[in-house]
Amino acid sequence: RALGLVTSQVPETTFEFYSDAALGVAFLATAIIAAKRMSYSRSQGGAETTVVTAFYSLILLTATLRTIWLIVPSTFWSPYYTPHAVMAFDPDHPEWFLKFLEVLLVGAGSLCLFSIFILILVYWADILKKYFYPGARR
């Protein structure tokens, strides 16, 4: 049923379709690079290995979620181009569940992206503390 909706309606323009595909491929490349860097980081020893591994794992998770969201055509998630109100568990609108999954996917990707920035801030604060107070315990 969902595949029939994808092929019967194409609400997005050609430019939007190709730009989503290009961004999806870019995020896929980012996910592959992050996976390689994460596995390399885990094999190395050192005090900062945990932070670097967490950093690359967050990048991997964010890029994977964004890849899924961008590669899957928007007509799969909802046959409508503009947002419209639909009640959950409505038997007249069974596509509510796919739209709900899309919202969860985008939300999880955004949380992972914000987590990367928070990790960078904490890491830089630790570096600055080490630089300005060399003898202080961390």
Side-chain angles (χ1 to χ4, degrees):
R1 174 168 159 61
L3 187 57
L5 288 173
V6 171
T7 56
S8 68
Q9 296 189 12
V10 183
E12 59 189 352
T13 64
T14 305
F15 176 74
E16 289 171 331
F17 180 78
Y18 286 121
S19 63
D20 283 353
L23 283 172
V25 169
F27 274 112
L28 180 63
T30 303
I32 292 169
I33 291 169
K36 287 182 180 180
R37 296 289 301 193
M38 188 176 70
S39 66
Y40 174 75
S41 173
R42 286 179 55 104
S43 66
Q44 302 297 313
E48 297 168 345
T49 304
T50 305
V51 174
V52 174
T53 303
F55 179 69
Y56 283 118
S57 65
L58 282 172
I59 291 175
L60 173 65
L61 188 58
T62 302
T64 302
L65 291 171
R66 294 293 184 193
T67 299
I68 294 168
W69 180 57
L70 288 166
I71 292 292
V72 174
S74 64
T75 51
F76 178 78
W77 303 114
S78 175
Y80 307 104
Y81 186 71
T82 57
H84 65 286
V86 175
M87 296 292 289
F89 305 104
D90 185 3
D92 296 332
H93 296 93
E95 68 272 359
W96 72 267
F97 184 72
L98 290 174
K99 195 64 180 169
F100 178 68
L101 285 179
E102 181 192 19
V103 169
L104 289 179
L105 188 68
V106 172
S110 296
L111 284 175
C112 291
L113 184 63
F114 296 144
S115 298
I116 292 169
F117 293 125
I118 291 170
L119 184 63
I120 289 171
L121 288 174
V122 170
Y123 187 64
W124 271 99
D126 187 55
I127 289 174
L128 291 175
K129 187 176 181 182
K130 187 178 4 177
Y131 178 76
F132 286 116
Y133 307 104
R137 285 189 76 196
R138 295 183 291 147

